[in-house]
Amino acid sequence: MDISQRIEELRREIRDHDYRYYVLAEPSIDDQAYDMLMKELEALEAEHPELVSPDSPTMRVGSDISSEFPQREHAVPMLSIANTYSREEVEDFDRRTRSLLDSDDIRYTCELKIDGIALSLHYRDGVLHSAVTRGDGRVGEDVTQNVRTIRSIPLRFADSGSCEIRGEVYMELEAFSRMNEVREAQDEKAFANPRNATAGSLKLLDPKQVAARPLKYFAYWLRLEDNMPETQWDALAQLRQFGFPVNSERALCKNSDEIMNFASGMEAKRSDLPYDIDGIVIKVDSFAQFEELGATAKSPRGVVAYKFSAEQAETILEDIIFQVGRTGTVTPVAVLSPVFLAGSTISRATLHNEQEIARKDIRVGDTVVIEKGGDIIPKVVEVVVEKRVADSTPFEFITNCPVCGTELVRDESEVAVRCVNAACPAQVEKRILHFASREAMNIEGLGPSNITKIISTTGITDFASLYSLTDEQIDNIPSWKEKSRVNFKLALENSKKRSLAQFIFSLGIRHVGAGAARTLASTFRSLDKLMAANREKLEQIDDIGSTVADSILEFFNNESNREIIENLRKHGLPFEEIQPEPVNDFVFSNKSFVLTGTLPTMTRSEAADSIRARGGKVVSSVSGKTDYVLAGENPGSKFDKAQALGISIIDEEAFFRMLGN
Ligand code: IVH
């Protein structure tokens, strides 16, 4: 495989994990595995700047922005911090810090890394004025009304100036479990973990509901107009004195040995703490030194996290069951004797696929080690072979679909085993769920239980049939009140106004995620043109590789898919792109741009779009090959580098002139 293919593969994989994590809230790998994919991609892109593309997952800090709350720009960006996983990496960090500062007079404040949600608080004349989430690090969401309900956050304190405080909102484990019990008793979906529950709570639209959620806060960062302390250690004391909750576990360390002592002490204490932590944060104590170290594009150099390895537990694997996904992929799931691990009781774990079971020789009845990496579904790490019962036999994977009985297909090139019966009820339900999801047709209220109800009362077998349901059929859906019926019909009507990209995504074509759907929509601008495209045409498109092309062709060749599509056409779904076609005068043909800083009227991604629409390229780092650096306010190091290399630096006005407006 050549480098560009590997890069594409990594991007696809990371996008897929992002989708599972952020959209489905069903991550399938842990943070460390995710970080490794990201690191590999970053390294390859650094070696091959010509392959960097502005839509690569490396280009974002990770955003949690939805649309219900007003957006606020952070005065100081909320950068993420780099992760380390071993003593060696911590030692490297210490060595690098010393050499960059050219000093041995360095102290580190070490704190717990609370596994919650970062929140910035603004006070004016000592009164809480606004509370903003991290968002994409540059712009976050204003959740002030919700945050006012958190008791441990002072609404006022004795400081006369304006100041900003940052810290972590979290939920204690016990309160979290109690809340989940109540939710389950009321037939509401339980949250997977305290962190998800915290994130969900901050985004509730009704502050009264937020008040009932057991949210707490630890402050760890401070920016004052006057009398700013000189060190992080003193800043924490100051925060405490102002009346903010500050975590009491901390240490002032002189070297990596002392840091690792603190780390191991905390790792040992971890399971006794009333809240989740996922490591420690190591910060250069002196703010002057911290400033001097500066930041990379993504994170300050004066701070790193040292992440603990996942907590593990032993239990018995009682059974292996199977789940059938939207595209028919059959996934094995371990049924476990319930065991308490990292704050919750675990009775299921993912087993990934057939090869994984065979490789680890996992058998029913085995004692297994399971592990939970912070915020993910637990997984089976290994079998405790010494505890295996004498008469155990290797696990045999099923040959037929557990839901509809169709013989499963093992694709040579794939690890997955699939049920190829498109009418399999398990698939139907999940396809409708995907079709209705927020990123797709956004048919609100159509969650798993309502879909099951609709399928069982009306017998529909595809999502197009949602639009043919009669009033009588809708009236017969059990336990739906008048309001649900009206809302459902309204949501169906509104779905017809979605964009072509969202519509293409909603079809659930394998390997076509939201990003690829956008590319296809902007290339073809009509579903019919996409359906008519041959392999050659598809493979010409950036970002569409042969696997994606194959699966698009397979999807549209399928008779029943074509029927579903014709049905959707009858009901007026968005077959055409309604956005005006981008200008294509190619004034920037073969020109390469680097963007830096905040532009006065455009966002960076708007600027990037208009460069690309005119044949130009946007790359992430300045080199001798860069033609222009488009710089806004507070430009980063790219600006300095461009100056040093004598590259044309233009502002937004000059850029507009080049566009001819
Ligand atoms: S300091 C410039 N300290 O971990 C330093 N972060 O990216 C900024 N976190 O989501 C972060 N506990 O919210 C810092 N004691 C602590 C923390 C902490 C948890 C979170 C933070 C962010 C992530 C680090």
Side-chain angles (χ1 to χ4, degrees):
M1 188 185 308
D2 73 12
I3 306 283
S4 73
Q5 277 174 331
R6 177 65 188 153
I7 287 186
E8 264 323 304
E9 185 178 273
L10 285 165
R11 286 179 185 159
R12 240 193 332 272
E13 230 180 292
I14 292 171
R15 284 186 194 117
D16 183 53
H17 291 308
D18 283 344
Y19 175 69
R20 287 169 194 265
Y21 184 97
Y22 292 108
V23 182
L24 304 179
E26 281 171 2
S28 58
I29 58 170
D30 61 29
D31 287 2
Q32 189 166 352
Y34 180 89
D35 282 348
M36 274 165 65
L37 294 175
M38 202 56 137
K39 274 190 183 160
E40 184 183 347
L41 179 58
E42 279 167 4
L44 289 177
E45 289 183 350
E47 276 170 45
H48 301 274
E50 73 282 4
L51 297 175
V52 170
S53 97
D55 62 346
S56 172
T58 54
M59 298 287 136
R60 64 159 145 217
V61 208
S63 173
D64 60 11
I65 293 192
S66 55
S67 55
E68 280 91 348
F69 296 92
Q71 303 200 352
R72 298 260 180 271
E73 193 161 338
H74 297 294
V76 179
M78 291 179 88
L79 297 178
S80 56
I81 61 185
N83 289 328
T84 62
Y85 295 97
S86 64
R87 172 180 283 273
E88 290 70 41
E89 284 180 286
V90 172
E91 285 167 356
D92 283 347
F93 165 71
D94 177 41
R95 245 194 310 275
R96 198 182 60 217
T97 308
R98 283 170 204 279
S99 101
L100 286 173
L101 291 173
D102 195 18
S103 162
D104 273 326
D105 186 20
I106 295 167
R107 265 173 210 84
Y108 301 99
T109 291
C110 296
E111 300 162 29
L112 296 184
K113 188 167 186 304
I114 309 295
D115 198 7
I117 300 295
L119 186 72
S120 145
L121 306 170
H122 294 264
Y123 289 81
R124 290 208 184 144
D125 293 330
V127 177
L128 178 63
H129 175 263
S130 59
V132 186
T133 64
R134 173 164 174 272
D136 65 2
R138 195 179 63 84
V139 178
E141 282 177 304
D142 187 322
V143 290
T144 314
Q145 295 310 329
N146 287 347
V147 167
R148 283 191 210 284
T149 68
I150 304 174
R151 302 259 158 76
S152 55
I153 294 182
L155 294 179
R156 60 167 62 241
F157 69 96
D159 180 75
S160 50
S162 296
C163 75
E164 183 185 351
I165 311 261
R166 290 180 186 172
E168 202 81 354
V169 186
Y170 67 100
M171 239 180 234
E172 289 198 345
L173 298 166
E174 231 184 83
F176 165 76
S177 308
R178 246 180 291 128
M179 179 187 81
N180 256 353
E181 277 163 26
V182 173
R183 287 178 71 84
E184 277 174 343
Q186 295 171 346
D187 213 20
E188 286 174 276
K189 199 167 178 224
F191 287 106
N193 56 59
R195 187 173 188 276
N196 283 3
T198 304
S201 302
L202 284 176
K203 297 283 182 85
L204 285 169
L205 295 177
D206 177 5
K208 275 205 213 70
Q209 285 183 17
V210 186
R213 299 280 172 88
L215 297 174
K216 298 189 93 174
Y217 190 71
F218 277 131
Y220 54 64
W221 189 92
L222 168 72
R223 188 166 57 92
L224 293 177
E225 270 183 342
D226 304 305
N227 302 324
M228 181 66 192
E230 285 179 7
T231 65
Q232 172 67 8
W233 190 261
D234 291 346
L236 293 175
Q238 179 73 271
L239 283 165
R240 182 70 270 211
Q241 209 215 321
F242 280 153
F244 289 87
V246 175
N247 195 287
S248 54
E249 304 286 1
R250 53 178 180 264
L252 194 57
C253 300
K254 287 194 292 295
N255 51 43
S256 49
D257 277 344
E258 291 184 9
I259 295 173
M260 291 315 290
N261 270 346
F262 176 72
S264 11
M266 288 304 123
E267 194 157 7
K269 237 178 158 173
R270 182 182 190 184
S271 55
D272 297 327
L273 292 172
Y275 41 80
D276 272 343
I277 59 170
D278 56 350
I280 62 164
V281 183
I282 308 160
K283 303 173 182 175
V284 168
D285 190 43
S286 145
F287 290 136
Q289 288 179 331
F290 191 95
E291 285 301 310
E292 191 183 334
L293 287 163
T296 67
K298 289 191 354 192
S299 39
R301 292 197 188 84
V303 52
V304 286
Y306 168 73
K307 301 260 262 190
F308 295 154
S309 47
E311 286 181 81
Q312 299 189 327
E314 259 185 43
T315 186
I316 308 284
L317 186 142
E318 291 178 344
D319 196 5
I320 294 178
I321 58 170
F322 295 89
Q323 275 171 358
V324 184
R326 167 165 64 86
T327 55
T329 308
V330 174
T331 331
V333 176
V335 179
L336 308 165
S337 301
V339 58
F340 193 76
L341 172 65
S344 59
T345 303
I346 310 294
S347 53
R348 292 272 194 281
T350 169
L351 291 168
H352 300 292
N353 53 48
E354 185 177 8
Q355 280 83 340
E356 174 93 353
I357 297 179
R359 193 166 58 78
K360 294 181 178 160
D361 187 17
I362 297 170
R363 307 177 182 191
V364 173
D366 273 349
T367 299
V368 292
V369 175
I370 60 162
E371 153 182 312
K372 210 163 89 167
D375 32 20
I376 57 139
I377 314 165
K379 63 177 180 205
V380 173
V381 188
E382 59 180 5
V383 173
V384 186
V385 185
E386 309 83 70
K387 296 193 183 167
R388 176 169 279 168
V389 290
D391 61 351
S392 96
T393 51
F395 182 73
E396 275 181 46
F397 210 79
I398 48 169
T399 53
N400 293 72
C401 173
V403 178
C404 70
T406 306
E407 195 172 334
L408 298 175
V409 172
R410 276 147 227 265
D411 199 330
E412 278 300 321
S413 64
E414 260 187 292
V415 277
V417 174
R418 291 204 300 141
C419 165
V420 289
N421 171 20
C424 173
Q427 291 183 46
V428 171
E429 183 185 321
K430 286 181 183 115
R431 279 201 296 271
I432 298 181
L433 191 63
H434 172 80
F435 181 80
S437 68
R438 200 140 73 124
E439 268 203 282
M441 301 317 268
N442 194 24
I443 306 177
E444 249 175 77
L446 220 48
S449 71
N450 279 332
I451 292 174
T452 314
K453 277 184 206 160
I454 295 176
I455 294 177
S456 61
T457 46
T458 66
I460 62 168
T461 56
D462 63 72
F463 42 75
S465 309
L466 290 171
Y467 296 91
S468 321
L469 293 176
T470 60
D471 283 349
E472 198 191 336
Q473 281 176 310
I474 295 175
D475 289 346
N476 282 337
I477 298 170
S479 76
W480 272 24
K481 304 228 165 62
E482 180 59 18
K483 196 167 162 221
S484 319
R485 294 194 284 263
V486 171
N487 285 346
F488 175 59
K489 289 180 202 167
L490 200 66
L492 280 180
E493 271 321 299
N494 283 337
S495 70
K496 298 176 185 170
K497 297 182 214 134
R498 301 288 279 173
S499 69
L500 177 62
Q502 287 159 330
F503 180 45
I504 294 174
F505 175 60
S506 77
L507 297 175
I509 306 170
R510 285 176 77 205
H511 306 299
V512 177
R518 273 195 297 274
T519 308
L520 293 169
S522 65
T523 310
F524 292 104
R525 305 187 59 78
S526 112
L527 191 70
D528 288 298
K529 291 202 180 113
L530 168 61
M531 287 170 72
N534 58 19
R535 172 184 311 276
E536 197 192 340
K537 185 111 204 216
L538 289 168
E539 286 187 358
Q540 272 169 9
I541 305 168
D542 271 352
D543 265 6
I544 305 289
S546 57
T547 328
V548 184
D550 276 344
S551 106
I552 294 172
L553 293 169
E554 186 189 316
F555 184 90
F556 291 120
N557 267 331
N558 179 296
E559 191 65 37
S560 57
N561 287 340
R562 295 186 84 101
E563 252 172 57
I564 292 172
I565 287 167
E566 285 322 305
N567 244 327
L568 291 167
R569 188 197 303 277
K570 276 203 314 239
H571 288 287
L573 276 97
F575 274 57
E576 307 287 329
E577 180 63 276
I578 37 175
Q579 302 292 328
E581 192 143 5
V583 269
N584 242 338
D585 49 6
F586 289 105
V587 283
F588 296 147
S589 209
N590 297 322
K591 295 281 181 241
S592 112
F593 281 76
V594 170
L595 309 179
T596 179
T598 313
L599 299 169
T601 70
M602 281 185 297
T603 66
R604 283 218 287 265
S605 80
E606 282 163 356
D609 284 346
S610 76
I611 291 167
R612 268 177 269 128
R614 290 166 178 80
K617 259 192 324 194
V618 180
V619 296
S620 67
S621 60
V622 179
S623 73
K625 291 194 217 139
T626 310
D627 294 296
Y628 298 102
V629 170
L630 172 54
E633 229 183 295
N634 299 323
S637 59
K638 295 172 190 171
F639 186 91
D640 306 330
K641 188 155 177 206
Q643 269 188 327
L645 292 174
I647 288 160
S648 309
I649 301 176
I650 55 169
D651 61 7
E652 193 186 73
E653 229 183 285
F655 179 70
F656 285 147
R657 277 199 301 276
M658 290 165 79
L659 298 182
N661 15 333

